[in-house]
Amino acid sequence: MATGGYRNGGLRGQMKIDRPLSVNNAAKSATKSRQPPAALRRSTSASIASAKDDSGVPGRVRVAVRLRPRNAEELVADADFADCVELQPELKRLKLRRNNWDSDTYQFDEVFTEFASQKRVYEVVAKPVVESVMEGYNGTIMAYGQTGTGKTFTLGRLGEEDTAARGIMVRSMEGILADISPETDSVSISYLQLYMETIQDLLDPGNDNISILEDPKTGDVSLPGATLVEVKDQQSFLELLRLGEAHRFAANTKLNTESSRSHAILMVHIKRAVRGRHDQEGSLPGENGNPPLSLKGLRPMLVRKSKLVVVDLAGSERIDKSGSEGHNLEEAKSINLSLSALGKCINALAENSPHVPVRDSKLTRLLRDSFGGTARTSLVITIGPSPRHRGETASTIMFGQRAMKVENMLKLKEEFDYKSMCRRLEIQLDKIIAEHERQQKAFEDEVERVSLEAQTRIAEIESEYALALENEKLKFQKDYLDAIRKLEEQCVKNQQKLADERAGNKCLDKACSSKGSTSSLSEELAHIKELLQKESQQRHAAEEEVKVLKNQLLPLRRPEVADTNEISMLRKMLEDESIQKEKLEEEIAILKNQLLQLSLEADETRRSLDRGAAGKVLAGMDSLMAAIRRPHAEEAGDGQKASVAKLFEQVGLQKILSLLESEDADVRIHAVKVIANLAAEESNQQKIVEAGGLASLLALLRSSEDEIIRRVAAGAIANLAMNETNQELIMAQGGIGLLSLTSAEAEDPQTLRMVAGAIANLCGNDKLQTKLRSEGGIRALLGMVRCGHADVLAQVARGIANFAKCESRAVSQGSKTGRSLLIDDGALPWIVRNANNEASPIRRHIELALCHLAQHEVNAKDLIGGGALYELVRIARNCSREDIRTLAHRTLVSSPIFQTELRRLKMEC
């Protein structure tokens, strides 16, 4: 038997060697990952041959086995017995004991002991598959095993309290998100459950009947109706897992109080851009000083699409061990049928059978790619150490052995992303147009600003020039007027003086000779001419000063000319920009034509390609609680059982029943013990009832005063009450009234324990709720708490839990309304007092009953008034059972009344 290289990295090494087979041909065809349906089934030699033709990579299904440690019940019940398996992890094999001296040896790819950590299991089993998925291959991680062996712990553990307990789902997503690029890659998930052969969406509960579509060419399976949610970070992924877990189906069986009744499938779709082969960039020279245009946007991006499927299968059930009845029995049948169909397909693939019955079940259709397909598959089979379940352990081991013979053909799925290319070109075009508009707007704003500044400056200069010119003009006019006024005054003075001189001259003329007068007049005229000459010189100086001022005004006119020239230059630049705008518009038109042509080419290429459906497999089952209920202890050993069976065959049931009416008390005691031992076997119960044994036992309970007879008879009735048909007969014959009367009269703890166990079994029947309560069944249970014995209290708590669960189911189905009958009969105070009982069985049943009562709003006010809200908060925070803790938290969050009270009390659940 071939052994894999999980621990030594053989799987990862094989990926690096085989990968070129499929990667080097990626550039030749965008659809090279599409396979013919014949790839579903190949032997080793056929797989290698096909790898050469289809560029595939052969990959065998890798199988690892993980052993669960003994639980508390097994430590007690199997304390005297050795484990049924012996692990040899260094040799990667295990031994399954047939008996104390003989065993069978099996080889696996990896063997994990009960001490293996979650991190090591992930790194050995799941990490190579996750790395293959990141390189472009499909991958599957699946857990298979008996109920309670740790499948959900291995795969679906969230690790909220202890990060080291994180399962494969959480760790796989951490690895994927750490390796992708948010700019070019995307991750999206779907979360489904397969329940009763119907596929239901856990992220959208209203979508409860999803159909499966198959591509007629490639055989690929897809679920177009499933919800697909893109994941950006780890916290959002954990919220989606919690949402899916809240919508899954679960039931209370003998093996598990919260047993999931469906298969759960988490599908992770990954889309990654391939770098390094098509990223060579070219450029076109720019114009008018613009930067060159990049050609990278004109090339389609090569992308790889892969998916990771994590499957948590429901555990197969043996009806005689799980005690499933009614609807639970139908669920168990559906689970066993789907697992049986999966086993048949793996047998056919392992034996290279010409026909693989993949259409027998929706589970096998969904896992078509995982076994014999194109996915890299790792299988974890989980087993328990208990010798009581050796048969289930052997069946699980043989399933893993057959799965190791299955060969898959791994293929990459690469294609050109024309949509992304068109989207990038459109974005680039929009950016160019927006940038051009921004530049044009900025240029126009700048031209307008410069124009306004120039106009403002010109106006200011013209105003200053006009003001200065006016001031100079006024100054010159004033000086001119002053000079004229002075000249006029001087002229008047001269005329006056001349007149005075003339008058004096007349006098002189009389006194002097004529020669003297002529000489004075000539001198006066010369003086006047001198004054006129000075006046003329001053006027000439004023004219020269005016010229100087005009010359000074010339530099002030020059900035106006410069501003006029600048405006001319700006107008010229505006014209150049308009020309450049026209050229850019022409380039934009060319790019639009190129975009249209590329879109047409993409459509033609897309029509020529064979589409491969990216199946969205998702299915259900998240949390199979691994706790096996404690069976009823038998009063006799193996030798006594054999003697009782022999006595039953030799004497006959009728004769044994007739001894119950014997006058001898010892004979009656032995006879009722024999009946009780026979009633412990399910195969004998129908015979006892048909022979009148139930009526005889009830008659003993009614008439006998012997404490031993009453105790054993009550125990036999409790055994018979485990069957639904017998429960109705017991109620019809007044059994609940006799049991209630016995509980009121008895003082022996063992008798009370038997009576409480019988009533607790009757409380689990939906049809008998009203009648059981009306005949005093609930009051009888509450009356037996006076004993105070732990075993009696455990049976009372179990009965209350069964009654509360049946009530919850009846309310959800609409067959019951109103407040709980338990609250009406006064059970709530005792439930609240014992919700945190030191005894684990009592506390577990009471916590479960309290959660079921709190699920209905009509009970909320009574629970708050009775102090149950504090216990619900404690359960949601500190309960040791994760299923009960989750149920309490979900109940508190979904109830508006509880939420209002918690806010009032400033408490958080």
Side-chain angles (χ1 to χ4, degrees):
M1 184 178 298
T3 58
Y6 267 92
R7 181 179 297 176
N8 298 326
L11 179 61
R12 194 179 305 174
Q14 182 180 359
M15 284 294 298
K16 294 181 180 178
I17 294 172
D18 295 339
R19 183 174 175 270
L21 292 175
S22 58
V23 173
N24 291 339
N25 294 329
K28 298 180 180 180
S29 172
T31 59
K32 69 182 212 48
S33 64
R34 307 183 188 278
Q35 312 159 23
L40 293 175
R41 188 172 55 253
R42 292 185 177 92
S43 63
T44 305
S45 59
S47 299
I48 298 175
S50 177
K52 297 178 180 178
D53 297 336
D54 299 336
S55 299
V57 180
R60 176 177 60 79
V61 175
R62 301 289 175 171
V63 181
V65 60
R66 187 178 192 184
L67 176 64
R68 172 183 59 76
R70 287 194 176 196
N71 56 30
E73 178 191 354
E74 291 170 348
L75 290 174
V76 176
D78 300 333
D80 298 333
F81 300 95
D83 292 349
C84 65
V85 293
E86 178 185 352
L87 302 185
Q88 296 177 332
E90 66 280 355
L91 301 177
K92 298 181 180 179
R93 67 187 183 189
L94 65 82
K95 291 183 178 181
L96 178 64
R97 290 192 176 92
R98 296 181 182 177
N99 46 48
N100 291 335
W101 56 86
D102 194 9
S103 61
D104 296 324
T105 303
Y106 300 93
Q107 192 80 23
F108 288 95
D109 293 305
E110 189 64 45
V111 174
F112 297 107
T113 67
E114 62 270 30
F115 305 108
S117 65
Q118 292 281 74
K119 180 179 180 181
R120 181 169 178 268
V121 173
Y122 166 75
E123 291 180 346
V124 174
V125 175
K127 189 175 182 180
V129 178
V130 174
E131 291 176 347
S132 294
V133 171
M134 299 307 293
E135 292 180 359
Y137 297 91
N138 291 341
T140 301
I141 305 169
M142 187 169 68
Y144 178 92
Q146 182 193 3
T147 297
T149 54
K151 297 185 297 302
T152 301
F153 180 84
T154 301
L155 293 183
R157 189 81 173 195
L158 298 182
E160 295 175 328
E161 295 84 4
D162 183 7
T163 56
R166 303 191 311 278
I168 287 177
M169 287 184 182
V170 177
R171 293 178 184 268
S172 298
M173 184 56 67
E174 289 176 353
I176 291 172
L177 293 176
D179 197 28
I180 66 169
S181 173
E183 293 79 12
T184 58
D185 304 338
S186 65
V187 179
S188 55
I189 70 165
S190 298
Y191 199 12
L192 308 172
Q193 69 175 351
L194 178 59
Y195 174 73
M196 298 287 285
E197 283 303 302
T198 61
I199 302 175
Q200 303 177 4
D201 198 331
L202 290 175
L203 302 181
D204 183 10
N207 191 8
D208 58 356
N209 191 11
I210 301 174
S211 59
I212 300 176
L213 296 182
E214 295 186 16
D215 193 317
K217 294 182 179 180
T218 64
D220 291 339
V221 177
S222 63
L223 300 170
T227 301
L228 193 65
V229 181
E230 186 173 359
V231 176
K232 295 295 185 182
D233 51 45
Q234 186 71 10
Q235 186 60 35
S236 62
F237 173 69
L238 293 176
E239 291 297 331
L240 291 174
L241 286 185
R242 294 190 189 97
L243 176 63
E245 179 184 354
H247 294 142
R248 287 177 42 221
F249 284 95
N252 185 7
T253 67
K254 291 183 180 179
L255 299 181
N256 196 346
T257 58
E258 288 290 334
S259 174
S260 297
R261 315 304 291 170
S262 61
H263 306 292
I265 300 179
L266 172 70
M267 178 173 291
V268 183
H269 300 270
I270 302 173
K271 181 179 178 182
R272 303 195 72 187
V274 180
R275 300 176 178 83
R277 294 203 293 163
H278 297 275
D279 291 346
Q280 294 84 1
E281 294 188 7
S283 61
L284 293 174
E287 296 182 2
N288 299 328
N290 293 326
L293 299 176
S294 174
L295 293 180
K296 182 178 179 181
L298 302 179
R299 299 183 182 217
M301 181 182 295
L302 187 65
V303 296
R304 289 178 180 170
K305 295 181 179 180
S306 59
K307 62 182 177 181
L308 172 66
V309 181
V310 184
V311 185
D312 192 357
L313 294 174
S316 59
E317 293 185 8
R318 292 186 60 180
I319 306 303
D320 57 342
K321 291 186 177 181
S322 66
S324 298
E325 296 177 354
H327 186 67
N328 291 348
L329 179 60
E330 297 300 323
E331 293 174 339
K333 288 180 180 179
S334 176
I335 292 172
N336 291 340
L337 284 175
S338 61
L339 293 178
S340 176
L342 178 61
K344 290 179 181 178
C345 290
I346 290 181
N347 289 342
L349 290 169
E351 297 172 0
N352 290 326
S353 173
H355 172 67
V356 179
V358 294
R359 294 186 175 275
D360 289 356
S361 171
K362 288 188 178 180
L363 176 64
T364 54
R365 292 176 67 190
L366 291 173
L367 296 180
R368 187 173 186 176
D369 192 48
S370 301
F371 293 96
T374 63
R376 183 176 297 280
T377 302
S378 287
L379 172 65
V380 181
I381 60 173
T382 58
I383 59 176
S386 175
R388 290 179 296 163
H389 304 298
R390 185 190 178 281
E392 289 81 353
T393 301
S395 175
T396 302
I397 291 173
M398 294 310 299
F399 180 89
Q401 290 288 296
R402 289 189 293 270
M404 290 179 67
K405 299 178 182 179
V406 178
E407 286 278 351
N408 292 350
M409 288 301 299
L410 313 182
K411 289 191 176 182
L412 285 173
K413 183 177 180 181
E414 294 181 342
E415 61 184 29
F416 289 108
D417 193 356
Y418 290 101
K419 291 183 179 180
S420 298
M421 182 189 65
C422 293
R423 187 163 55 252
R424 289 198 307 273
L425 287 177
E426 290 175 353
I427 294 173
Q428 185 177 357
L429 181 61
D430 292 338
K431 288 182 178 179
I432 291 175
I433 294 174
E435 183 63 27
H436 172 69
E437 290 179 350
R438 284 193 295 271
Q439 291 179 356
Q440 182 179 0
K441 183 66 169 61
F443 175 75
E444 292 176 353
D445 293 343
E446 183 66 19
V447 170
E448 184 178 358
R449 185 186 64 80
V450 172
S451 299
L452 291 175
E453 289 181 355
Q455 293 176 3
T456 303
R457 182 61 179 163
I458 291 172
E460 291 177 354
I461 292 174
E462 289 179 348
S463 177
E464 291 176 358
Y465 172 74
L467 181 61
L469 185 62
E470 184 69 21
N471 292 334
E472 289 295 329
K473 185 178 179 180
L474 293 175
K475 181 180 179 182
F476 292 150
Q477 288 178 354
K478 183 179 180 180
D479 293 342
Y480 177 74
L481 293 175
D482 290 343
I484 294 298
R485 183 175 53 77
K486 290 179 179 181
L487 288 175
E488 289 178 349
E489 291 177 354
Q490 188 65 31
C491 182
V492 171
K493 289 179 179 181
N494 291 334
Q495 289 179 357
Q496 184 67 30
K497 186 177 180 181
L498 181 59
D500 294 339
E501 289 179 354
R502 285 179 179 176
N505 287 334
K506 289 180 178 180
C507 294
L508 289 174
D509 285 341
K510 293 177 179 179
C512 299
S513 61
S514 56
K515 185 177 180 180
S517 301
T518 304
S519 176
S520 300
L521 182 60
S522 298
E523 292 176 358
E524 184 68 24
L525 290 174
H527 179 70
I528 292 172
K529 288 182 179 178
E530 185 178 359
L531 292 175
L532 289 174
Q533 187 176 0
K534 289 181 180 179
E535 199 61 41
S536 178
Q537 290 176 354
Q538 289 179 356
R539 183 172 183 180
H540 181 70
E543 290 176 354
E544 290 294 332
E545 188 175 358
V546 170
K547 290 181 179 179
V548 172
L549 291 175
K550 289 182 177 179
N551 292 333
Q552 290 178 355
L553 287 175
L554 288 177
L556 297 177
R557 290 179 176 270
R558 289 174 185 171
E560 179 181 359
V561 177
D563 291 339
T564 304
N565 295 334
E566 186 176 359
I567 291 173
S568 301
M569 292 178 62
L570 290 175
R571 288 177 178 173
K572 186 177 180 181
M573 290 175 62
L574 182 59
E575 292 176 357
D576 293 339
E577 288 295 335
S578 299
I579 296 172
Q580 185 178 3
K581 176 183 176 182
E582 294 176 358
K583 292 182 179 180
L584 287 175
E585 289 177 350
E586 293 176 358
E587 293 177 1
I588 290 171
I590 294 173
L591 288 174
K592 287 183 178 179
N593 293 332
Q594 291 178 353
L595 178 61
L596 178 61
Q597 183 178 0
L598 287 172
S599 299
L600 294 175
E601 291 178 359
D603 292 337
E604 293 176 0
T605 305
R606 194 177 296 109
R607 285 194 296 271
S608 65
L609 297 177
D610 292 327
R611 297 188 176 220
K616 306 171 187 173
V617 179
L618 231 159
M621 184 158 170
D622 174 40
S623 165
L624 280 176
M625 310 322 292
I628 302 176
R629 294 179 58 195
R630 183 182 302 274
H632 292 290
E634 312 226 341
E635 291 185 357
D638 294 339
Q640 185 176 353
K641 287 184 180 179
S643 61
V644 169
K646 185 176 180 181
L647 178 64
F648 175 73
E649 294 175 356
Q650 293 178 355
V651 177
L653 182 59
Q654 289 294 342
K655 292 184 178 180
I656 297 174
L657 291 175
S658 65
L659 294 177
L660 295 176
E661 301 176 359
S662 174
E663 297 180 357
D664 191 341
D666 292 334
V667 173
R668 289 200 306 273
I669 291 173
H670 288 296
V672 75
K673 286 184 178 181
V674 171
I675 296 298
N677 287 327
L678 291 174
E681 297 292 333
E682 187 176 359
S683 58
N684 299 330
Q685 293 178 359
Q686 187 65 25
K687 298 176 183 179
I688 293 173
V689 174
E690 291 176 353
L694 177 59
S696 300
L697 291 171
L698 292 174
L700 280 179
L701 204 62
R702 181 185 300 109
S703 61
S704 178
E705 297 180 357
D706 191 293
E707 191 68 21
I708 297 176
I709 293 178
R710 296 170 71 180
R711 178 175 68 251
V712 179
I717 294 173
N719 290 335
L720 293 176
M722 296 174 65
N723 182 279
E724 184 176 357
T725 303
N726 294 342
Q727 291 173 356
E728 296 178 1
L729 292 175
I730 292 172
M731 293 295 294
Q733 297 180 22
I736 188 62
L738 292 174
L739 290 171
S740 300
L741 183 60
T742 304
S743 68
E745 296 175 352
E747 296 296 334
D748 178 57
Q750 297 303 321
T751 303
L752 292 175
R753 180 174 67 87
M754 296 299 179
V755 174
I759 298 178
N761 290 338
L762 294 174
C763 287
N765 193 317
D766 295 345
K767 304 175 184 178
L768 307 178
Q769 292 276 294
T770 305
K771 186 174 181 181
L772 187 144
R773 187 251 181 171
S774 63
E775 294 184 9
I778 301 301
R779 288 189 294 273
L781 275 178
L782 295 175
M784 283 185 280
V785 302
R786 70 183 186 279
C787 174
H789 195 276
D791 293 340
V792 177
L793 296 181
Q795 293 299 325
V796 172
R798 183 171 69 88
I800 290 176
N802 288 341
F803 195 94
K805 183 178 179 183
C806 290
E807 263 196 340
S808 175
R809 185 159 49 237
V811 172
S812 62
Q813 293 174 355
S815 59
K816 182 187 181 304
T817 59
R819 193 171 65 166
S820 170
L821 298 178
L822 289 173
I823 298 177
D824 289 339
D825 280 353
L828 183 59
W830 185 82
I831 292 175
V832 174
R833 286 197 304 271
N834 289 271
N836 197 17
N837 196 291
E838 295 180 356
S840 176
I842 301 173
R843 183 176 65 255
R844 176 168 60 89
H845 289 301
I846 291 299
E847 288 175 343
L848 188 61
L850 197 56
C851 291
H852 283 301
L853 287 175
Q855 284 184 326
H856 309 292
E857 292 291 310
V858 70
N859 299 329
K861 292 184 178 179
D862 294 293
L863 293 175
I864 293 173
L869 180 59
Y870 297 93
E871 293 300 327
L872 283 171
V873 173
R874 179 192 60 77
I875 295 170
R877 292 176 179 174
N878 305 322
C879 182
S880 59
R881 291 283 299 274
E882 184 177 0
D883 52 341
I884 299 176
R885 185 171 65 251
T886 303
L887 180 61
H889 182 271
R890 185 167 64 239
T891 301
L892 290 173
V893 171
S894 62
S895 173
I897 296 178
F898 286 147
Q899 286 296 310
T900 302
E901 185 65 13
L902 288 175
R903 286 193 294 269
R904 188 183 69 81
L905 298 175
K906 298 181 180 181
M907 296 176 61
E908 294 182 358
C909 59

